[in-house]
Amino acid sequence: MVISDKLAQIPDSYFGKTMGRKVEHGSKTLINMAVGIPDGETPQGIIDCLSESIRIPENQKYGAFHGKDSFKQAIVDFYKRQYQVELDKEDEVCILYGTKNGLVNLPQCIVNPGEYVLLPDPGYTDYLAGVLLADAKPHALVLKAPYYLPQWNKVDKEVLSKTRLVYLTYPNNPTGSVATQSVFDEAVAQFKNTKTKIVHDFAYSAFGFDNKNPSILQSEGAKDLAIEVFSLSKGYNMSGFRVGFAVGNKEMIQALKKFQTHTHAGMFGALQDAATYALNHYDSFLETQNETFKRRRDEFEKKLKEAQIPFEPMSGGIFLWLQTPKGYDGAAFVTYLLQEQSILVAPGIPFGEQGRNYVRISLALNDAELVEAAKRIQSLKHLYQ
């Protein structure tokens, strides 16, 4: 097999390995609760805009490497409107070809070999690959139940002094926990006047069930050391479009942009036009998305409580973090659910050591499937007694 030593040392992506694979399950109809792809359709206006934009001659040619002015202006306007954050569209905005690219590539842009990067545990699985590609040292930022928030005084001081990048993600994937503005204030204060930078993965920004999710850039001084990565995939049902952006600290943004000039030749103009239309016209759709998933959360959690099945409180995002029964780790419980109940979920362990005795359940399914899934899981209450 031909593969570089560096690539060989990086674990396979869990979702890259499992998404789309054929699974063997029990006798019931399969319910796939493993993948966080929103189940709704992309709003028709966005589809119409994309269709029309494909026919524009200038969109059929190479475009500006760093994106259309109209798209960057829409990003600036959106952040001003939603978060009261002022941005410079040239210095503080970087268009991303899917936010995963930005999140995984960032360490290669700003971290040197041997330097530490703090990764949330539990947290998104593919952050690690970016750290290893940069020959940096990953270190767990342990997040404890039930709120899964950073405790900076519990991180080794020597590690902190050598840390050059910290990943945060709220609403948290996989736990459904959220951060208040004070959490971001503390993070910014912790690393003020140091060499450490912060990247906040804001993929599930639209989903805050008790309060609107804050942006880290709303914290005083945040742009001195932090960027935020925003995705159109979840809130707008645009996961297949692969469009997102990073905003914030000028130095980090410019490093990302330089990296992309060597790996990409500009995003397809029609995609940019569709994303621009989404940002400019669908604020109310984001509110509808949030209401939908809040209702799903309320109904699903109610069923689990009735059966006295333990889970962590879900305050945002689209995933519920379910504890496994005694005697099962996440992997074993995934197998059990698949064989006995024909339910496919994700094991907690790929998200970090803190997820060993959990599974992640996606609520991105239609109502009928969620009702049936809740009934099947309720029937397992004897395992928890």
Side-chain angles (χ1 to χ4, degrees):
M1 182 177 182
V2 178
I3 188 170
S4 70
D5 292 342
K6 180 178 288 188
L7 188 57
Q9 74 170 332
I10 298 172
D12 289 338
S13 166
Y14 174 76
F15 289 105
K17 182 172 59 177
T18 60
M19 187 173 173
R21 68 182 171 93
K22 184 177 180 180
V23 296
E24 296 183 5
H25 57 88
S27 58
K28 301 176 182 178
T29 302
L30 178 68
I31 302 177
N32 187 347
M33 309 184 83
V35 181
I37 301 174
D39 54 301
E41 295 183 0
T42 306
Q44 188 60 45
I46 300 173
I47 298 297
D48 291 343
C49 179
L50 177 64
S51 178
E52 294 166 6
S53 296
I54 289 172
R55 297 178 174 85
I56 298 174
E58 71 177 67
N59 283 337
Q60 298 161 16
K61 299 176 175 62
Y62 284 129
F65 269 39
H66 298 308
K68 291 189 174 189
D69 187 76
S70 56
F71 185 21
K72 290 182 288 186
Q73 187 61 52
I75 293 167
V76 170
D77 293 343
F78 178 83
Y79 256 73
K80 177 63 175 176
R81 193 169 65 247
Q82 290 285 334
Y83 305 112
Q84 299 75 55
V85 171
E86 300 274 1
L87 295 168
D88 184 293
K89 65 184 176 185
E90 300 303 331
D91 291 339
E92 297 176 337
V93 175
C94 177
I95 293 169
L96 298 173
Y97 313 88
T99 56
K100 180 175 177 177
N101 281 336
L103 291 164
V104 172
N105 291 335
L106 182 62
Q108 295 179 82
C109 301
I110 66 169
V111 178
N112 294 312
E115 294 177 334
Y116 281 95
V117 178
L118 290 184
L119 301 179
D121 179 356
Y124 180 56
T125 60
D126 284 329
Y127 299 150
L128 175 62
V131 179
L132 298 178
L133 286 168
D135 290 324
K137 294 182 178 180
H139 189 86
L141 175 62
V142 176
L143 308 178
K144 293 288 189 178
Y147 301 115
Y148 295 98
L149 298 173
Q151 294 178 287
W152 303 113
N153 61 348
K154 298 258 179 100
V155 182
D156 184 273
K157 291 183 179 179
E158 184 176 350
V159 170
L160 275 181
S161 69
K162 297 177 181 178
T163 294
R164 294 298 173 261
L165 180 63
V166 178
Y167 281 76
L168 297 176
T169 174
Y170 294 100
N172 180 277
N173 173 15
T175 69
S177 58
V178 298
T180 61
Q181 198 68 59
S182 64
V183 171
F184 292 136
D185 291 344
E186 290 172 8
V188 171
Q190 175 68 40
F191 298 107
K192 183 179 180 181
N193 298 322
T194 72
K195 295 181 180 179
T196 306
K197 304 299 184 186
I198 299 171
V199 55
H200 177 228
D201 181 357
F202 209 18
Y204 299 92
S205 57
F207 307 95
F209 304 140
D210 303 312
N211 296 287
K212 181 184 173 82
N213 291 310
S215 162
I216 193 172
L217 299 183
Q218 290 173 289
S219 294
E220 185 176 355
K223 286 203 288 184
D224 293 336
L225 53 86
I227 63 170
E228 189 158 71
V229 176
F230 187 98
S231 173
L232 277 74
S233 294
K234 316 303 192 224
Y236 298 95
N237 288 341
M238 294 174 66
S239 56
F241 287 62
R242 313 309 305 139
V243 181
F245 54 85
V247 291
N249 179 263
K250 292 182 181 180
E251 295 176 344
M252 298 170 73
I253 291 297
Q254 296 310 311
L256 265 174
K257 289 170 75 172
K258 180 177 181 179
F259 185 94
Q260 288 195 151
T261 61
H262 294 290
T263 58
H264 301 284
M267 180 181 287
F268 182 32
L271 283 177
Q272 294 186 61
D273 291 344
T276 298
Y277 193 87
L279 291 175
N280 286 341
H281 293 89
Y282 281 96
D283 286 1
S284 60
F285 185 77
L286 298 179
E287 296 173 4
T288 300
Q289 286 279 77
N290 188 49
E291 292 168 2
T292 296
F293 278 85
K294 182 179 188 298
R295 175 181 55 78
R296 291 174 176 180
R297 185 278 308 259
D298 291 345
E299 293 172 358
F300 204 84
E301 285 191 351
K302 180 182 178 182
K303 296 297 183 182
L304 295 180
K305 288 175 181 177
E306 288 174 356
Q308 297 183 319
I309 294 176
F311 59 91
E312 302 302 344
M314 180 185 176
S315 298
I318 65 174
F319 303 111
L320 184 135
W321 198 226
L322 181 73
Q323 292 183 32
T324 60
K326 186 176 180 180
Y328 292 83
D329 65 7
F333 196 47
V334 167
T335 299
Y336 180 89
L337 284 172
L338 196 56
Q339 293 175 348
E340 300 300 323
Q341 296 297 332
S342 297
I343 294 176
L344 179 62
V345 299
I349 192 61
F351 300 95
E353 184 59 34
Q354 300 303 309
R356 182 165 295 277
N357 294 315
Y358 289 87
V359 295
R360 191 193 74 173
I361 292 179
S362 171
L363 300 188
L365 292 89
N366 65 48
D367 289 353
E369 288 179 307
L370 285 173
V371 168
E372 176 61 23
K375 288 180 181 178
R376 295 184 194 180
I377 294 174
Q378 276 185 315
S379 72
L380 305 177
K381 62 182 180 181
H382 62 282
L383 296 178
Y384 289 90
Q385 294 173 353

